[in-house]
Amino acid sequence: MTEGEASVEQGETHDIVDLFVIGGGINGCGIARDAVGRGLRVELAEMNDLASATSSASTKLFHGGLRYLEYWEVRLVREALIERETLLRAMPHISWPMRFVLPYHSDMRFDGDTPTSKVLNIFMPWMKGRRPAWLIRFGLFLYDNLGGRKILKGTTSLSLSGTPEGAPLEDRFEKAFEYSDCWIEDSRLVVLNARDAQARGAKINVRTKVVSAEQSDGIWNVTLEQQDGSQRVVQARMLINAGGPWVENVIRNTVRSNSTDGVRLVRGSHIVTRKLYDHDKCYFFQGEDGRIIFTIPYETDFTLIGTTDADHEDVSQKPVCTPEEQTYLLNFASKYLKEDISDDDVVWTYSGVRPLYNDGASSATAATRDYVLKVDKSSGAPILNVFGGKITTYRKLAESALEKIAGVLPDTGKPWTAGVPLPGGDFPVDGGDALKQRLSAQFPFLDDVWAARLIKAYGLDAFDLLGDAASIADLGQSFGFNLTEREVRWLVDHEFAQTAEDIVWRRSKLGLRLTTEEIDALDAWLTTATQHTV
């Protein structure tokens, strides 16, 4: 059997699994997919829906982290830059290149806590923390060349006078730099990793809580609880604690380890507004306080603005974009835009908690974004605790995790995931338009908006989803916009969806399009359909 071709039956024919993964975010699902593809027996449990926390609340970018260069996190940036194109090739339906416009003004300043700022203050004290243009251009030169870029376009200089890019901005911005990064549909990335892991033999449990894990004779006995209160026990040779914001809670309370490692919870909030400009490029805005935000064209008719960095003290408290954070983002963007934006322009907000490794940094912004993997054997059976990580480096994190596992479990196989397509993604990076035309030709009842949405969500799987449909009527009940019963059944049968929220906010962003009544009707339909299948 070659790498990545594990038997579909293997997860069900052994009493003891090799790895039990706690957490259905991008790290947990990425590790599960990599591990099962190497021939390991894998089971995963997520207490809510897949990607229900941090992994659906990102800024939706595969990026190197330009600002991390100020902290001299060169290894992290280089790894992320290399990964952008590796990932892009494997998922061209849910990821695509984007151009970022960085307007320049002499008032731009560093965060005073960065190593670069401290050096600049020593050698160029008259700058008083301001960013000189040459330093920004040097950073972008590094950004272009650290990762061996082949697909994405490099940095260019851009005039903002009389150009579409300059039209939305205040006249004081006359020049800009333009560079490349990539968009990613974050929650779909998680679901497709889980789906691929399941297809290769992993058992994926959603809405299943790990209530305890105890070791006996070097084997973990993991007690799982379903939503109806029923419990079962799974035995595993090793645990993977990919609990995200709950990783420390798993250490302290679920496995009751003596490990002193912990996380720093940092809240990142975003706002979605009406569409603020007509072109398809993003802006990278730098504030006088040293922070940065992005404004990104979003779901055709909207603009996404984010993010903040604020300590989040209590993991049990659902993160929300506070009024103060919303005001901060609105004011930040308004300092760049000709037309000020206000609360009335906001159509949706979301917030997530980044579980960063607690390295004792002085501020939330300065805390490391690098991932930390720790194997703990103090309980008698091994557990790998996963701290931090960026969505861009999830695949490399999984490979690093398997390297750690190899020191504990034998026969962990070799890396195999680089460039291997996720479900629906086996087509060229620039093949999306041709695929949409093919879909429209085969299913002529689709309009352009509908066909484009299906290709960007499902890629080649859009053809299987529509199946033998010859007309809209063949797709069953309509739930609003262009969401039909045929698609909903696909999401339930293939993508672990159970509720309307799963579908309209994580498997898609149709929550921006549907009314409250339409979402309630979808939830009622799902409840009835689930009861009929039990």
Side-chain angles (χ1 to χ4, degrees), residues 132-144 154-157 177:
W134 65 262
L135 189 61
I136 294 174
R137 189 63 186 88
F138 176 67
L140 287 167
F141 172 81
L142 292 177
Y143 204 71
D144 278 346
T155 298
T156 58
S157 296
F177 303 105

Side-chain angles (χ1 to χ4, degrees), residues 285-344:
F285 291 158
Q286 303 176 89
E288 295 179 15
D289 62 354
R291 294 218 64 253
I292 65 101
I293 62 169
F294 296 105
T295 68
I296 307 173
Y298 188 60
E299 295 292 318
T300 307
D301 298 318
F302 306 95
T303 299
L304 172 64
I305 303 175
T307 180
T308 59
D309 272 319
D311 284 313
H312 189 79
E313 301 299 333
D314 186 355
V315 70
S316 67
Q317 294 296 312
K318 180 178 173 62
V320 296
C321 180
T322 66
E324 293 77 14
E325 287 175 308
Q326 178 167 314
T327 298
Y328 172 82
L329 292 171
L330 289 168
N331 290 343
F332 198 144
S334 293
K335 288 180 180 178
Y336 277 77
L337 299 170
K338 283 180 182 174
E339 183 182 346
D340 287 350
I341 51 177
S342 68
D343 292 331
D344 293 338

Side-chain angles (χ1 to χ4, degrees), residues 318-383:
K318 180 178 173 62
V320 296
C321 180
T322 66
E324 293 77 14
E325 287 175 308
Q326 178 167 314
T327 298
Y328 172 82
L329 292 171
L330 289 168
N331 290 343
F332 198 144
S334 293
K335 288 180 180 178
Y336 277 77
L337 299 170
K338 283 180 182 174
E339 183 182 346
D340 287 350
I341 51 177
S342 68
D343 292 331
D344 293 338
D345 296 304
V346 177
V347 298
W348 182 49
T349 68
Y350 67 90
S351 187
V353 174
R354 306 180 191 98
L356 306 180
Y357 184 70
N358 193 351
D359 60 355
S362 59
S363 70
T365 302
T368 182
R369 265 55 177 176
D370 209 348
Y371 55 82
V372 176
L373 308 174
K374 296 285 189 78
V375 174
D376 179 10
K377 301 179 184 178
S378 64
S379 298
I383 177 173

Side-chain angles (χ1 to χ4, degrees), residues 10-20 35-36 39-43 201-203 237:
Q10 67 175 351
E12 300 175 359
T13 57
H14 296 265
D15 293 329
I16 301 177
V17 298
D18 295 311
L19 299 178
F20 190 93
V36 73
L40 297 177
R41 299 180 296 277
V42 179
E43 186 162 351
K203 184 174 178 59
R237 292 186 172 87

Side-chain angles (χ1 to χ4, degrees), residues 28 31 63 86 103 165 202 207 246 251 336 360 398 419 441 454 474 497 526:
I31 291 171
H63 67 126
T86 300
E165 295 86 353
R207 292 180 167 81
W246 292 270
I251 292 171
Y336 277 77
L454 292 177
D474 293 333
L526 285 164

